[in-house]
Amino acid sequence: MTDAPHGSHHWQIAAFPLMVYWRQDYRALSFYFPDLQFGRLEERPEASGFSSMLQLPRQGALRGLGRAYHTGELRQWQAYLDFLASHDNEEDYLKEAIRGQLAPVLPKTTDPAILWPLAHQLEQMLAEKEAGMYLVGKQQQALAAVLGPDLDEEGELAGAAISYNPSLRGGLPDPELARVRLKFWQAILTPCLKSPWAALVLETAASDSSPRCLWEEAAAAGGGVYHLKLELPDWHLNTAAAKSDSPHSKLQLEFRQALEDLLTGLSVDQEVLGEAGQAVQRLVQERLWPASGLPPKAAVWLELFGWQGRAPESELLTGPMMLWSRA
């Protein structure tokens, strides 16, 4: 584990989940969040400029962690390891084991060095699964381009729909797994960050355990949840256009400042919240879209959630959070 590098901006932004496999959908992050921090970023192109804060756990670290627990906890840990050894289907047993065997231990354990090897095993399984689904989707698109409408007539060729859509227009979220992943994320990454910081949830990577469902649960329970949705141009600039003296770079800085004003409003100065939200919306519509030259369909969603008014006591939703997804 290494310290997070410090950017020139006041707010530090860190990607959720802990482990992300790079995909083309993330290219615009280099414009909107050039100093975005990642726990582990796999298969990243060098041109992205992003790096990982966390080193991979050493091999065998997971089994050696039992020595860090007290006697009562060690029984739970051994049961968890035995459970892992007796199952072959990673996609099912690891989620089940996390819930059934680890949940009683997590609140007593806050050391990132202990939690990271375990979290890595969970995140690697989930990230690889999502990366596989993404590749299957791309293959199906290529096949559809060749076969055209005939693809729909062949039931065996049509792939099963992904069970969860980040916009919640289909499928069901998994709040329990979202809580486990967010608890790991906070325990492991927050020691690397300096306040103020905020999470940026990459919803294609978070999949059915996006923390979105936790905010929507809070809103349904009557909490004062603030929500703003921005439709941004899917803008990824080359190195030349991103030079510090270019008009594009000035827009980049203006957007980041407007976004940070909004995050600050959600955190400490809610009197400016309405004005800050309107300011960032005007900047997007009047400046960013015209300068990008992109058609309206070339868009990404950036959503902001936070507490409006007096924040209730919440173990996980402690401050503003952003969500990134395809429009």
Side-chain angles (χ1 to χ4, degrees), residues 87-109:
H87 289 69
D88 296 324
N89 186 355
E90 285 190 349
E91 293 183 5
D92 295 327
Y93 80 67
L94 193 49
K95 288 184 184 180
E96 188 179 333
I98 288 290
R99 295 188 180 109
Q101 302 295 341
L102 187 64
V105 179
L106 275 176
K108 306 173 187 177
T109 308

Side-chain angles (χ1 to χ4, degrees), residues 16 32 40 45 48 58 62 65 70 90 97-98 125 186 193 196 224 228 243 281 298 308 311 313:
F16 176 96
Y32 296 105
R40 281 297 303 177
S48 72
R58 61 180 178 80
L62 187 61
L65 292 180
H70 301 296
E90 285 190 349
I98 288 290
M125 181 272 291
Q186 290 180 344
L193 303 172
L228 177 67
K243 289 181 179 178
Q281 287 177 306
Q308 193 164 11
E313 291 186 9

